Each structure stands twice: as C-alpha cells, then as structure tokens.
C-alpha cells in the first residue's frame, strides 16, 4: 500500500501548476525525515499501534512521492536554455545520442552537448533539413558520431489544445530541454566516427539492425512494423497503419511491449532449463530452475535494452528481475508485490512516467490480468480461458481508454484473438531470428504473415462500428466508471455485481454541454504557423480553415483537428470554410475530407481529389453577400467580391466571415492584407465592428492597417501564429496598433488555444495554457 501511496504522490507532484520553492521543498524533506524517525521509534516502543503505524506510513509515502517528484522536476528544469540565447546562432559540439529520425526533408536527432559557445542544456533535439537556401543533402547520421554544428535553439514548446497530447511533457520526460535546427553555414563537421559510451553502443547496434531491415525490405508496406518489433523504433509506421491498429485495438502489439519481453524471457529460460536438466552433475551443482531464471532475465534484459527501454519494457523487465531474484534466493513473491516493486522502480527512475498513457495502460493491463487469473474468478481452461481473459481485459480497460484516448475499439476482442498469437508466436520470433541470423527469407516470411493479418485488420477497421468515439468525460464520471469496473470484477456471488457495468453507462452516454440557443463557442486552435477555428452553436459545427501541413510530416488535420474533434464530441462538421488555398490554412483539408466528417465545404478553389474514390462533399463559393443562420446565430461573408477572385492575390482573396449573436460578434479575417482591407472598408465598413477579431495574416505588418482596426474596434485581438516562427508574426507594431485601439492581444504561440464563449453574459475569453496550467509550460 505504501508503494501505491508513493505513486499517488508522484502523480500529484507532476500535475502541479507551479513547483514549490526550494526552501519549501527543503522544509518538507526535512520534516518527513524527522517524522519517519519519530514514527519508527514510536512503533518500536509500542506507543503506536500497528494499524496507526500503517496509516502513518501510507501518509508519509504519499508525501515522499510528492517531494521526490518535485525535487526531480526542479533539478531537470534547472538545465534550461536562457531566453537570451533563443534563436541565436550557437556553436555546438557533441555526439548523436539516440536513433536519428529520418524524414522526407531531413533528419531529427538528439545531440548530447559536450561543448557550446553559450549556456545550453545537456540534451537538445535538432532538425537538419536540406533543400533551402542552397543547402546540400543531409548526410546519413548514426548514433555515436561526434559533430560540430551551428544551430538555432529555442525552449521546448508544443501545441497546447484541449485534451490533446502534450509535446512539452514528452520532451521533459526524455530530458530534452531545447529544440532547434542546424544552420547550413558554417558547414557542419563530423569530428569522430564513433564516441564509445554504453548507450551509444546500444543505439549503434539498433541503427545497424534498422538499416539491415530496411535494405532487406526496400519499400515494403510493413517494414516499419518489423523494425518496431525488433528495435522499438515505431517512427517509420505510416499514420494510416496506426489508424488501423487503433481502430482494432492492437496498438500494444506493434512495439516491443511487456508481452514480448516476457515471452522472450520465458522462452529462453525454458530452453536453458531444459538443456541444463540433461546433465545430473550440473543439476546437483545448480538447480535447473535457477539457471532458467538467470537465463530468462539475461535474455529479457538484452531485448529490453535493444528496444530502447520504454515504459512497458521497463515494467516487464523489472517484474522478471524481481521474480528471477526471488527464485535465485529461494523465495516466491506474490504477483501484487512484484507489480508494486516494478511500479516503485519505474517511478524512482522516471517520475514523469505518470504523464504517459503507456504507463497507465501497461500497469493497468497487468493488474487486471493478475486479478482475473489470481483466483478471484472461477478458473476456465483452454479456449474458454483465453476468451474469458480477453473479454475481461477488454471490458476492464474501457474507462482507461476513454480517459486517455476518447474512445475504444469495439472489434478489439476479435482482432486480438487473431493478432496476439500471430504477432507474439510467429511474427515476432521470425523477426528476432532475423536479427541474429543473416537470412532475408525470415524477414520476408514475417512480412508476409503480417500482410495476411492486415487484410483482416483493415476489414475490421473499416466497419462503421469498429470504434466507439467518446468526448472527454468529466472526472466524476470517469471515477464512477473505474469504480464500476472494479465492482464488476469482484467474485461471482457478490451482491449487485452486475451494477458495475451500469456504472460505466453515464460516462459512455455523456455529451459535452452545448451553447444555448442564440449563443456560440469559438476555439481558435493552436496549430502552429497557421489558422484553424472551431465554432459550435446549439446544434451545429463550423470549422474555419484547417491549419498547416508540417515540415516534419503530417498536417494539422491529422495531428490536431481530428483528435480535438474526438475529445470535444464533434461527430460531424456541418460546414467547413477554407479562407484560401495557402498551405498554412488548407494544409489539413485533404485529411478532413478523407475522414468523411465534413458535410459541406465553402471555398473558392477546387477540392483535392479523393484517393479512395469516395464522393466529395458539396462545395459552394465563399463570396460577399452570402450568409445563413444557425440556432439564433448569424453567419455573414463580407469578402471577397466575385470580381476580386481573379484580380487579387491569394491572400487578399481570403474569405472573411463575421459571426454574430445577441451577446457579441467575432470576425475571421483570413490572410487579407491592406489592399483588401481598404476594399472591405469601402464595401462593408459599417458591418466590420466586432468584439473579437482573429487578426488577419497572423499579425503580419502587411495587414492590420489603422483604418481597418478602427472600423473593427474589438475588445480582443487573437493572433494565430507559430512559436518563434521565421516570419516574426505577430509583428510588434501590429500588436501595438491593436493594443492602442483598446484590444487585449491574445496569442496562440504563447497561450495555446484561445477559448471564446459568446452568450447571454456577453463574451468570456480564456486560453488553454491558463485553464490547464502545468509547471513546465514556458520552461
């Protein structure tokens, strides 16, 4: 119980909005030391009863977990990039610390800094792109190489949107305290071919295996999956395949999971024990069980290190180590103790693990299996046991999957019934044999088996009932569902046991509160250097622009909009308005159309042709004078005039949309510049007045002229721009002009998504980084 209390303290420490001061933490640590000593003395002297002592130990463990988490955070944040160094050229010398991540335009890699011309963190994530400003091709980087670069760095920064992935937290966990890009001049220099370190030796081996797999299966559809199974590198798996894995609930198999590590340990241990039993002399000297335990632990450790030691592999390896040590010492620990010790070790090493979904899924799944197989329910045999176990874990994981991913696979039991034995006992062993044996045929056979599996998975994924999508539930509904699952798993005969399933229904039936009639809610999403706006009325959904396509791969449609729609409970977009065809506004359009969530499009350009032959939603032009009303909210297009489509620049032909209700109005201005602003003033100057404006062209100095600002006269000006973007948007002069006109400036690059509620109480504005503040934001 004390270990679980320690874990709860670690979790509480990681979700602080602000870290305690050094003096407060020092006082807490000193107080805990004194309390521990006093409590132990009381217990020895008999003053404190056993139950009281246990309760005290649990409270102390909770406080220790909080203190440990906070101290580790303070130490890690101390390794920071000074603001004065951001976006300045800095000369760095260091070695490539992990597997580089090649991409279409370059490569990303972690550099362990050994020497720098300015104060910089020890580990930085660099991107090296080619093809611009005359740079040559990027060389093939390998782990352990020592280089000298000139780079421009910035503090860790990620997109901040409601209920979505926190990239800054992920960087913090990896110990990466700055990101940046390699400069073409002066030319980067490779100093040493290999810097010998224990970690670089492992990563060089992983890189060699990955390169051999890629050479053996050039252009193979599922080569990335085999690489992931061999060395834990999942980055070559396309987004389309991840969608299939997610829809069928088998994502946990497409990496080196705890299941795979355990399987290798058990297999090698069984073989070693079997071989050892062939000699009576050896058996008399050392029992075969101890040899099997030591051999299985060694094999599992090698495989886990080769995998990169992710959280599931850490957990599995530690559990195997605890069992192996117990066997070597002649003891037999219970499954609960093994799991608790694994939890303690993971959190001592990595207190940020509680921020990762893999942590909760890994430990949760193992705890559920232990509960199901530990005599708490009637034991089944054969295929009945397999079916009962799969159904049990699928049902028990539903609340966690909804909390973490806003949905769960309805076809998961069927998909896993096929995928678990095939991946675990056929594809993974063939892949691992290919690691140690130079036979391409092994990889080709593993690839063929996975191709057969994908035929079934793709068919299941395409079923309309494959995924249950659920908006992010409130905390009390999630807690009720978790309690219900725990009650449902109690032994047969427990009174009201079936009521546990009913306790999950409120969470699964919950829908977010919608605006009242005559009100609307607008979310200006944080998509980087681009624009994407979601507007919700009482019964309708509108999206204005779809964000950018990203240089490192993917687009805002895949990485931001679709996940956001799932968390917000958006099942259908009634109208998608795309202001113009620049990639920072239309980059996610093809993704949204391919997802089939759009009912109608308003745009002044042809839509991208669908790749799967599906029908496109109807398109209508976005022209001045058009308008409609939804649920007491008016939408009016103010620009462009039809005559301006061919005579204006792409930016100046942006669709300008004004949304108004009784409580206030907002203006979405696209990328119009001053020439379009003047024409808009001449044609519809009296209609421009709005309480909130999404500033034209991300705050470029070529927009937001003073006459336009005076006509709009907003209370709030929202600038949608990327953090430290190379356009320097928003321009300081533009910020000053809007501020001088009485508007409060809001910025997605510093405040995350901007949330605007327009209703009977007027207009309320906040930002996601204020709503869900974390201690690492901006650090």
């Amino acid at each position: 119980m004390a270990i679980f209390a320690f874990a709860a303290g670690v979790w509480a420490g990681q979700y602080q909005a602000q870290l305690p001061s050094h003096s407060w933490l020092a006082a807490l640590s000193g107080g805990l030391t004194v309390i521990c000593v006093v409590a132990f003395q009381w217990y020895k002297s008999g003053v404190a009863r056993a139950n009281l002592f246990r309760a005290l130990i649990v409270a102390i463990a909770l406080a220790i977990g909080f203190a440990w988490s906070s101290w580790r955070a303070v130490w890690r944040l101390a390794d920071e990039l000074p603001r004065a160094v951001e976006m300045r050229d800095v000369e760095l010398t260091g070695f490539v610390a992990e597997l580089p991540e090649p991409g279409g335009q370059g490569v990303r890699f972690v550099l362990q800094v050994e020497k720098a011309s300015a104060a910089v963190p020890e580990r930085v994530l660099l991107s090296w792109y080619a093809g611009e400003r005359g740079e040559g091709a990027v060389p093939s980087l390998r782990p352990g190489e020592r280089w000298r670069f000139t780079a421009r760095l910035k503090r860790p920064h990620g997109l901040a949107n409601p209920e979505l992935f926190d990239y800054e937290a992920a960087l913090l966990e990896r110990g990466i305290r700055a990101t940046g890009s390699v400069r073409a001049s002066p030319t980067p220099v490779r100093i040493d071919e290999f810097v010998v370190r224990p970690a670089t030796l492992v990563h060089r081996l992983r890189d060699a295996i990955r390169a051999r797999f890629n050479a053996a299966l050039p252009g193979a559809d599922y080569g990335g999956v085999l690489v992931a199974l061999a060395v834990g590198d999942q980055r070559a798996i396309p987004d389309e395949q991840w969608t299939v894995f997610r829809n069928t609930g088998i994502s946990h198999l497409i990496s080196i999971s705890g299941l795979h590590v355990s399987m290798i340990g058990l297999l090698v241990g069984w073989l070693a024990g079997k071989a050892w039993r062939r000699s009576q002399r050896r058996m008399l000297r050392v029992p075969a069980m101890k040899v099997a335990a030591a051999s299985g632990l060694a094999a599992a450790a090698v495989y886990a290190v080769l995998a990169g030691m992710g959280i599931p592999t850490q957990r599995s390896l530690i559990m195997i180590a605890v069992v192996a040590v117990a066997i070597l010492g002649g003891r037999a620990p219970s499954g609960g103790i093994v799991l608790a010790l694994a939890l303690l070790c993971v959190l001592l090493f990595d207190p940020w693990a509680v921020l990762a979904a893999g942590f909760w899924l890994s430990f949760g799944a193992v705890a559920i299996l232990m509960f199901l197989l530990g005599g708490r329910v009637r034991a089944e045999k054969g295929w009945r046991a397999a079916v009962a176990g799969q159904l049990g874990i699928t049902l028990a994981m539903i609340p966690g999957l909804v909390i973490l991913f806003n949905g769960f696979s309805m076809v998961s039991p069927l998909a896993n019934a096929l995928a678990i034995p095939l991946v675990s006992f056929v594809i993974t062993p063939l892949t691992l044999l290919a690691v140690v044996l130079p036979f391409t045929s092994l990889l080709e056979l593993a690839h063929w088996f996975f191709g057969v599996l994908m035929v079934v998975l793709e068919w299941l994924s395409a079923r309309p009932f494959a995924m249950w999508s659920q908006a992010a539930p409130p905390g009390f509904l999630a807690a009720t569902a978790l309690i219900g699952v725990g009650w449902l798993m109690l032994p047969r005969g427990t009174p009201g046991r079936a009521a546990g399933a009913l306790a999950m229904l409120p969470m699964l039936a919950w829908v977010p509160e919608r605006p009242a009639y005559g009100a609307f809610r607008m979310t200006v999403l944080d998509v980087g250097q681009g624009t994407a706006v979601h507007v919700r009325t009482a019964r309708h959904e509108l999206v204005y622009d779809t964000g950018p396509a990203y240089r490192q791969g993917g687009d805002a449609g895949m990485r931001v909009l679709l996940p956001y729609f799932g968390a917000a409970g958006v099942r259908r977009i009634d109208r998608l308005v795309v202001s113009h065809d620049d990639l920072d506004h239309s980059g996610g359009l093809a993704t949204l159309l391919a997802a089939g969530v759009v009912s109608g499009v308003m745009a002044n350009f042809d839509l991208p042709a669908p790749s799967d032959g599906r029908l496109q939603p109807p398109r209508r032009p976005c022209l001045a004078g058009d308008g409609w009303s939804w649920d007491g909210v008016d939408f009016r297009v103010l620009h462009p005039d039809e005559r301006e489509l061919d005579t204006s620049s792409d930016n100046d032909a942006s669709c300008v949309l004004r949304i108004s209700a009784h409580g206030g109005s907002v203006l979405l201005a696209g990328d119009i510049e001053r020439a379009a602003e003047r024409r808009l003033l001449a044609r519809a100057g009296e209609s421009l007045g709005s309480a909130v404006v999404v500033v034209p062209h991300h705050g470029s100095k070529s927009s937001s002229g003073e006459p336009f600002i005076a006509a709009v006269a907003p209370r709030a000006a929202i600038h949608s721009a990327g953090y430290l973007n190379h356009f320097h948007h928003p321009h300081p002069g533009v910020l000053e002009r809007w501020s001088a006109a009485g508007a409060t400036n809001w910025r997605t690059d510093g405040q995350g998504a901007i949330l605007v509620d327009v209703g009977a109480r007027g207009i309320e504005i906040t930002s996601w980084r204020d709503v869900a503040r974390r201690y690492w934001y901006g650090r």
Side-chain angles (χ1 to χ4, degrees):
M1 184 59 71
I3 291 176
F4 294 110
F6 174 83
V10 170
W11 178 85
Q14 291 300 344
Y15 278 87
Q16 298 175 86
Q18 185 175 353
L19 289 175
S21 65
H22 287 65
S23 57
W24 193 94
L25 281 175
L28 174 62
S29 302
L32 284 172
T33 303
V34 172
I35 291 172
C36 288
V37 172
V38 171
F40 182 70
Q41 291 299 324
W42 281 355
Y43 183 69
K44 282 182 63 179
S45 62
V47 174
R49 294 184 178 181
N51 289 339
L52 178 61
F53 181 72
R54 292 190 189 99
L56 188 59
I57 289 298
V58 168
I60 291 172
L62 181 71
I64 290 174
F66 179 84
W68 172 247
S69 179
S70 300
W71 273 122
R72 288 290 303 273
V74 167
W75 296 332
R76 181 154 291 183
L77 290 185
D79 183 29
E80 66 178 0
L81 181 72
R83 291 198 180 274
V85 181
E86 279 194 302
M87 302 309 289
R88 283 177 42 197
D89 285 355
V90 179
E91 185 179 277
L92 304 175
T93 300
F95 58 88
V96 179
E98 298 180 3
L99 275 180
E101 181 183 348
Q105 300 183 46
V107 63
R108 290 202 306 175
F109 60 98
V110 175
L111 186 74
Q112 185 75 33
V113 178
E114 298 173 305
K115 182 180 178 183
S117 61
V120 301
E122 292 183 1
R123 283 164 58 88
V124 299
L125 179 64
L126 296 179
S127 299
W128 190 352
Y129 295 116
E132 294 186 2
R133 299 182 299 276
E135 298 101 321
V138 175
S140 177
L141 296 182
R142 303 190 67 190
E145 291 180 340
R146 178 178 281 130
W147 284 80
R148 182 167 61 246
F149 300 105
T150 296
R152 284 191 179 176
L153 302 177
K154 59 184 179 182
R155 291 180 168 221
H157 187 87
L159 306 179
N161 293 291
E163 311 298 340
L164 299 192
F165 175 70
D166 192 334
Y167 182 61
E168 290 174 49
L171 291 177
L172 183 69
E173 182 189 5
R174 294 175 62 189
I176 294 172
R177 304 296 301 127
T179 64
S181 58
V182 174
R183 308 292 288 169
S185 179
T187 304
V189 177
R190 182 190 284 114
I191 300 174
D192 292 310
E193 291 290 336
F194 188 54
V195 177
V196 179
R197 301 282 191 279
T200 57
L201 287 168
V202 171
H203 290 304
R204 179 62 71 96
L205 175 61
R206 298 175 69 210
D207 181 66
I209 293 170
R210 181 176 66 175
R212 184 158 63 84
F213 276 36
N214 291 335
L217 298 172
D221 292 337
Y222 312 116
V225 172
L226 300 187
V227 170
L229 292 173
V231 297
D233 180 19
Q234 306 173 10
R235 292 168 291 192
I237 301 176
D239 288 337
E240 296 78 11
Q241 291 179 16
W242 278 120
T243 300
V244 173
F245 303 152
R246 183 174 60 252
N247 289 349
T248 53
I250 69 154
S251 297
H252 62 103
L253 294 175
I254 313 304
S255 61
I256 301 180
S257 65
L259 173 64
H260 298 144
V261 173
S262 301
M263 179 191 70
I264 292 300
L266 290 172
L267 178 62
V268 172
W270 177 77
L271 291 174
K274 191 174 180 63
W276 195 261
R277 289 186 181 94
R278 298 176 69 87
S279 169
Q280 274 191 334
R281 180 181 297 178
R282 289 196 299 260
M283 285 281 293
L284 291 173
R285 213 167 28 230
V286 181
M289 182 175 290
K290 293 187 176 183
V291 172
S295 302
L297 174 60
V302 170
Y303 191 30
V305 170
L306 194 65
M309 290 296 288
I311 292 173
T313 55
Q314 290 178 30
R315 185 265 307 155
S316 186
L317 178 61
I318 293 169
M319 292 180 69
I320 292 172
V322 171
V323 173
V325 170
I327 290 173
L328 293 173
R331 298 179 179 272
S334 68
I337 291 176
V338 171
L339 185 65
L341 289 174
L343 177 65
L344 176 64
C345 292
V346 167
L347 293 181
L348 285 174
F349 174 74
D350 181 12
W352 296 275
V354 295
L355 302 175
F359 170 86
W360 298 101
L361 294 179
S362 177
F363 280 96
V366 172
I368 291 166
L369 281 175
M370 285 183 174
F371 192 90
L372 290 174
L373 302 177
R376 300 292 294 174
V377 295
R378 189 181 68 185
E380 302 284 359
K381 296 181 180 180
W383 66 270
R384 293 179 184 273
V387 171
Q390 184 59 46
L391 290 176
I393 196 169
T394 298
L395 184 63
M397 292 295 287
I398 285 176
L401 292 172
V402 170
I403 294 167
L404 296 171
F405 302 113
N406 305 120
F408 59 92
S409 172
M410 299 283 286
V411 298
S412 173
L414 182 58
N416 276 281
L418 175 63
I420 287 177
L422 192 57
V423 172
S424 300
F425 301 111
V426 179
I427 297 172
T428 299
L430 285 172
T431 302
L432 295 181
L433 281 175
V435 170
V436 296
L437 300 176
F439 300 136
T440 303
S441 57
L442 293 171
L443 281 176
E444 293 172 343
L445 186 57
H447 187 272
W448 182 85
F449 274 115
F450 198 84
V452 172
L453 175 63
M454 280 297 289
V455 172
V456 179
L457 295 180
E458 288 173 348
W459 183 84
L460 289 172
S461 175
R463 299 309 91 200
F465 54 82
M467 278 291 294
W468 179 285
S469 296
Q470 177 64 51
F476 73 93
L477 289 183
T480 301
L482 290 171
I483 293 171
V485 163
W487 190 264
L488 183 64
M489 293 173 62
L490 291 175
R492 292 181 181 180
T494 301
R497 181 167 165 265
L502 297 178
M504 289 194 290
L505 294 181
M507 180 189 71
L508 299 178
W510 183 80
V511 294
E513 182 183 2
R514 300 190 68 91
Y517 185 87
F520 66 93
R521 180 176 301 125
M522 179 179 77
T523 303
V524 182
L525 293 164
D526 182 9
V527 292
Q529 185 61 24
T531 300
V533 180
H534 171 230
V535 179
R536 167 173 275 177
T537 68
R539 292 179 298 175
H540 292 84
E541 314 280 356
L542 176 137
V543 171
Y544 179 90
D545 284 343
T546 62
Y550 297 121
R551 190 176 186 183
Q552 62 269 32
D555 57 62
M558 175 63 69
R559 302 190 182 279
V560 178
L561 290 173
L562 290 180
Y564 164 78
F565 293 156
V570 177
R571 299 185 182 276
R572 197 77 185 165
I573 303 301
D574 297 289
R575 184 160 298 171
L576 171 61
V577 180
V578 187
S579 64
H580 61 302
D581 198 17
D582 281 0
L583 272 181
D584 56 340
H585 294 254
S586 64
L589 174 59
T591 295
L592 294 191
L593 295 179
V597 297
V598 179
S599 296
V601 179
M602 181 177 277
N604 294 324
F605 55 90
D606 293 333
L607 302 181
S611 58
D612 57 0
R614 74 167 67 221
L615 293 176
Q616 293 282 33
R619 179 183 71 88
R620 61 192 281 187
C622 189
L623 298 174
D626 198 355
W628 65 95
S629 292
W630 283 343
D631 312 319
V633 179
D634 292 326
F635 298 78
R636 292 290 178 266
V637 179
L638 305 182
H639 184 80
D641 186 276
E642 186 172 8
R643 296 167 296 180
E644 296 175 305
L645 292 179
D646 297 327
T647 60
S648 300
S649 67
D650 201 31
N651 283 346
D652 276 348
S654 293
C655 176
V656 176
L657 181 67
R658 185 175 185 268
I659 308 171
S660 60
H662 180 71
S665 58
V666 301
L667 185 70
L668 308 177
D671 270 358
I672 61 171
E673 298 180 322
R674 295 199 186 194
E677 290 176 2
R678 289 192 292 269
R679 291 195 294 271
L680 187 55
L681 283 167
R683 183 173 60 248
E686 70 284 353
S687 303
L688 288 176
S690 302
V692 179
V693 60
V694 178
V695 171
H697 205 182
H698 319 289
S700 165
K701 64 180 180 180
S702 62
S703 303
S704 299
E706 291 181 355
F708 178 77
I709 293 175
V712 179
R715 288 170 38 200
I718 300 174
H719 306 262
S720 181
Y723 181 68
L724 295 179
N725 63 87
H726 64 277
F727 300 105
H728 305 292
H729 294 160
H731 190 273
V734 172
L735 292 169
E736 177 58 33
R737 287 201 293 272
W738 286 106
S739 180
T744 300
N745 285 301
W746 296 79
R747 301 176 54 161
T748 60
D749 57 346
Q751 296 168 287
I754 309 300
L755 317 173
V756 181
D757 280 295
V758 180
R761 293 184 297 180
I763 296 177
E764 299 177 0
I765 306 177
T766 188
S767 72
W768 182 247
R769 287 185 184 267
D770 289 327
V771 171
R773 182 169 294 279
R774 296 290 180 262
Y775 70 81
W776 55 81
Y777 282 168
R779 300 292 299 276

